[in-house]
Amino acid sequence: QFYLGQGLAARAFSYWVMAQLYQFNYKGNEDKPCVPLITEKNSEDASVNGCKRYSVKEVYTQIESDLTNAIGLLTNAEKGKVKRADKRYISLSVAYGLRARMYLSMHEYAKAADDAVNAIKAAAGEGIAIASRDEVAKPTFWSVDETNWMWGIIISETDDVVDTGICNWPSHMGSLNYGYANYSGGRQISLELYNGINDSDIRKSWWLDAAAEAQEDFLTEEQAAFVAKQGYKPYTQVKFGPYNNVVGQSTNANDIPLMRIEEMYLIKAEAEAMGGNPSAGKSTLNDFVKTYRDPEYTCSASSASDIQEEVYRQRRIELWGEGLSWYD
């Protein structure tokens, strides 16, 4: 049951990504052509005769079915004391998180809020919790062992992608290790988004300021010297720490985040607001940002759509560089 749950949830995740790449969002496009839908029911025929594009609704029906079945299977697996060996596998919390994402993209807001809550509860049972302000007050986000990661790609030092030296994710995204970023000038946040972050928000430290300098105490002396030596531009990210926190090293074996618990709170806030309870959504957003990122934060939005826009902005800040606001 555990392994079947893995397969179904992974297939659902794959189709959900493809559905958004190859067609517009669910609402209002239900009958438009999406992607070929190949399962155990038609795979032999499809390998010989090809496969037509199924509608958006049909693809999402399959995604929902796979995730619902996976949640049932993984629930049973947990009852039988079968748990994942590490965070590269899909746990019950991740399956709920995937279905929360799916329902959000379908505008099924009440269901999305429920699944976000279920994901948070299941994750708590695994010891997963929001990263504290102190925990993100330094370059990090490089290991699945971090308390706020729900799911990620685990990279080993012996993997081929690491042996290449520079043909890997941290080479391009990292500012504190050896790689393409040292020569490309690094990756920067947009000026508009940066200027919109309160100075009291710890996340503003994730990028160099207008003088291309780090916020006070965010980098160690060694890290700051490395950044200065590279000559990075203003607003370059220093969010992602180097592997094992060794500055300038060429062993680019950083793990890659696929889901963090913070996303579930942002889903919950948006879904509550858009599902008919703007005050609840605003409260969820306020509590998250104020408690964990910016003690002076107050959400000024009041309408559901304005709260949704503020959630989008918070996703762009919180999940910057992780690819999760790509479809928003």
Side-chain angles (χ1 to χ4, degrees), residues 19-37:
Q20 294 176 98
L21 282 172
Y22 291 102
Q23 189 48 271
F24 292 111
N25 211 354
Y26 182 87
K27 199 71 172 178
N29 300 293
E30 293 91 336
D31 296 325
K32 291 181 180 178
C34 193
V35 295
L37 186 58

Side-chain angles (χ1 to χ4, degrees), residues 262-279:
E262 289 86 351
E263 182 195 357
M264 297 300 112
Y265 287 87
L266 293 169
I267 288 176
K268 180 175 181 285
E270 180 184 350
E272 287 171 337
M274 296 299 290
N277 195 344
S279 62

Side-chain angles (χ1 to χ4, degrees), residues 9 14 19 29 31 46 69 99 111 115 118 151 153 171 192 197-198 207-208 230 244 268-269 278 280 315 327:
S14 299
N29 300 293
D31 296 325
N69 287 332
R99 199 170 67 174
K111 293 179 179 178
D115 275 347
N118 287 329
W151 187 33
I153 300 170
S171 168
E192 181 182 17
I197 304 173
N198 291 339
W207 299 275
L208 303 181
Q230 304 308 316
N244 284 339
K268 180 175 181 285
R315 284 170 63 87
Y327 303 111

